[in-house]
Amino acid sequence: MGVLCVVVCGAGPAVDVGTLVDLARAGGWEVQVVATRSALPFLDVGDLEARTGRPVRSAYGAPGQPRQGSASAASALVVAPATFNFVNKLAAGIADDYALGVVAEAIGMGRPVAVLTWVNQALANRAPFRRAVADLRGEGVTVTVAPADDDRPDAFPWAEALAAIKVGVEFQRPE
């Protein structure tokens, strides 16, 4: 199926992102994990690297180094869990973090991108967030607003995240 870039943000469900990695690999994807800096404390990086056979990326390489295993070479991207901050920055075109840059570039290249949020109801009610979701959808991004349950982050709908990209794979960017 190609390379699926899984972008993970710093939120409770991130500890279980290996579930998405396993589902994607079982579905025929090669997987590259990209983590925001705030996601790193949630992750078992060694375990994810063993599962994927690739390094977890969270920063740009040094100048002059080849772009080995570049996430921009991915066939499709899933951002899960996506935080309030990540969604708002992405929609506003702010790429001040490696993960944001990877996703922004993929959108601009017309790659299928699915974003599954983990945002509490108070933040999801905010007008800037609603606009950000609408703007991303307007660019062809599949955005699913999953209700955050801070008491049960293990209930994150990982299978839905993978299903969202399957919908996205069928998306053809209008010329």
Side-chain angles (χ1 to χ4, degrees), residues 78-105:
V78 171
V79 184
T83 61
F84 177 81
N85 193 48
F86 192 93
V87 171
N88 284 316
K89 282 185 169 187
L90 182 62
I94 299 169
D96 61 355
D97 173 271
Y98 178 72
L100 280 161
V102 166
V103 180
E105 186 178 64

Side-chain angles (χ1 to χ4, degrees), residues 1 27 29 114 161-171:
M1 291 195 81
W29 291 97
L162 191 57
I165 200 59
K166 289 179 182 175
V167 171
V169 168
E170 297 173 8
F171 169 77

Side-chain angles (χ1 to χ4, degrees), residues 116-136:
L116 192 61
T117 69
W118 185 257
V119 176
N120 69 37
Q121 194 60 54
L123 293 176
N125 288 339
R126 296 280 324 279
F129 182 77
R130 292 191 319 268
R131 281 192 301 269
V133 168
D135 288 350
L136 290 170

Side-chain angles (χ1 to χ4, degrees), residues 18-120:
T19 301
L20 177 56
V21 169
D22 292 345
L23 288 168
R25 293 196 63 228
W29 291 97
E30 291 180 50
V31 179
Q32 169 70 59
V33 176
V34 171
T36 63
R37 288 184 299 269
S38 62
L40 289 173
F42 291 84
L43 305 179
D44 182 338
V45 172
D47 177 65
L48 291 171
E49 289 178 345
R51 288 179 193 218
T52 64
R54 297 168 179 251
V56 171
R57 302 283 310 269
S58 62
Y60 292 100
Q65 286 185 331
R67 294 181 73 179
Q68 295 175 330
S70 172
S72 64
S75 307
L77 288 86
V78 171
V79 184
T83 61
F84 177 81
N85 193 48
F86 192 93
V87 171
N88 284 316
K89 282 185 169 187
L90 182 62
I94 299 169
D96 61 355
D97 173 271
Y98 178 72
L100 280 161
V102 166
V103 180
E105 186 178 64
I107 294 169
M109 294 171 73
R111 301 270 167 75
V113 176
V115 175
L116 192 61
T117 69
W118 185 257
V119 176
N120 69 37

